[in-house]
Amino acid sequence: MSNGNEKAKDRPSVGRTLQQARIDAKLTVDEVSSATRVRVPIVQAIEADDFSRCGGDVYARGHVRTLARAVGLEPAELIELYNAQRGHHDDSLPSGPLFEAERIRPEPRRPNWTAAMVAAIVVVIGFVGFTFFSAGDEEGGGSVAERTETPGADSPGGDGPERRGPETPTTEPEPPTESAVAGVPADKVTVRLTMEGTSWISVKDSNGRLLFEGNLEDGDSETYTDDERIDLVLGNAGAVKLHVNGREIEDVFEPGQVQRLSYTVGDPEEG
């Protein structure tokens, strides 16, 4: 065993270090959980050096980084201590926040029956009023029609049959182009991500500028545009539906699969 590992063995454990830092910061487990969105049982398990509930080393490192920032520690030093004490190398993706914290999903909203009943009553009242006024208009229109005569050839002052102006010929609209149907500019690359689960996402433009990095939740939808190229890293490719330049990408990715993709102007082709 290396001297570095021997020194790490002599230091307090990762869990004990996090716990002491939390106590020094005068924070409770519940407060740390609320700030990091890591569930309370997992925070307690990590402070007890039980990383089995994290779901693997990659997730455990993400939790350790998140908790370290919350209690005022340097994440990189604590990850180094974690690797040394557990005999692992940090083989996670270069992007740190890939599995930063286990998200606490909000409880689904319950249907608002009161609002639904009010809306139904308004619809019924509107329908009854519309029917009533429509019936009155039809009766009044019939009476006027009986009294009104169109001047014709046999009526005094009549100039013959009613004259109509020339009809304007109608032209059928031209069918929309493929770019108009897609609704995206033809001279740019446009990538839309629609989430069908939770995944860490990294998006960069052709200059390497970071457009987005972080987690997207189920139901989220984001669109990115560049003149030349969009580079993607999908932490959970199976949870992402891609539309590139207005067309859906048919490739089927597996849940938990990491994908690095690049798209350019024109037909979508994987880089």
Side-chain angles (χ1 to χ4, degrees):
M1 184 176 295
S2 65
N3 293 333
N5 287 342
E6 290 177 356
K7 292 180 180 180
K9 294 292 185 181
D10 296 335
R11 295 174 58 185
S13 65
V14 174
R16 178 58 183 166
T17 302
L18 287 170
Q19 184 186 49
Q20 187 60 50
R22 176 180 59 78
I23 294 173
D24 293 341
K26 294 181 172 55
L27 296 173
T28 66
V29 173
D30 289 337
E31 289 172 339
V32 172
S33 175
S34 298
T36 61
R37 303 187 71 180
V38 178
R39 293 189 293 114
V40 169
I42 295 181
V43 176
Q44 294 173 335
I46 290 175
E47 288 189 352
D49 292 304
D50 178 11
F51 300 94
S52 61
R53 304 192 62 170
C54 297
D57 286 332
V58 176
Y59 290 95
R61 291 187 186 98
H63 292 326
V64 170
R65 288 189 184 97
T66 303
L67 295 177
R69 282 193 289 267
V71 298
L73 296 177
E74 178 60 38
E77 295 180 1
L78 208 58
I79 289 299
E80 183 180 353
L81 177 61
Y82 173 90
N83 292 332
Q85 291 184 342
R86 295 181 63 85
H88 293 298
H89 297 288
D90 191 356
D91 54 0
S92 61
L93 289 175
S95 301
L98 178 55
F99 300 106
E100 201 166 62
E102 180 176 324
R103 297 287 182 179
I104 303 175
R105 294 182 175 271
E107 296 184 359
R109 295 182 179 179
R110 297 180 179 178
N112 191 336
W113 296 112
T114 303
M117 291 178 62
V118 171
I121 293 172
V122 170
V123 170
V124 171
I125 294 175
F127 177 76
V128 171
F130 175 77
T131 303
F132 175 78
F133 286 110
S134 296
D137 291 342
E138 290 178 0
E139 292 177 0
S143 301
V144 172
E146 291 176 0
R147 296 192 298 266
T148 304
E149 295 181 359
T150 302
D154 298 334
S155 60
D159 294 331
E162 181 182 356
R163 296 180 181 178
R164 296 183 180 178
E167 295 183 357
T168 304
T170 58
T171 57
E172 296 183 358
E174 296 181 359
T177 63
E178 186 176 349
S179 296
V181 173
V184 296
D187 58 343
K188 297 179 182 294
V189 56
T190 302
V191 177
R192 179 162 62 90
L193 300 90
T194 303
M195 305 305 301
E196 297 179 342
T198 300
S199 175
W200 178 86
I201 305 291
S202 174
V203 185
K204 295 182 179 180
D205 62 13
S206 57
N207 296 321
R209 184 169 60 93
L210 187 64
L211 302 178
F212 175 79
E213 185 176 86
N215 286 330
L216 293 180
E217 301 293 337
D218 185 14
D220 289 347
S221 179
E222 298 290 342
T223 302
Y224 302 95
T225 302
D226 188 70
D227 292 336
E228 297 179 8
R229 189 179 75 250
I230 293 291
D231 297 324
L232 303 174
V233 180
L234 310 179
N236 180 13
V240 183
K241 177 184 288 187
L242 285 174
H243 286 77
V244 178
N245 297 327
R247 300 177 183 174
E248 181 177 353
I249 300 301
E250 300 294 339
D251 294 339
V252 178
F253 301 123
E254 298 294 331
Q257 184 180 11
V258 178
Q259 284 288 334
R260 290 177 171 83
L261 306 169
S262 292
Y263 293 103
T264 57
V265 178
D267 293 335
E269 296 180 356
E270 291 186 27

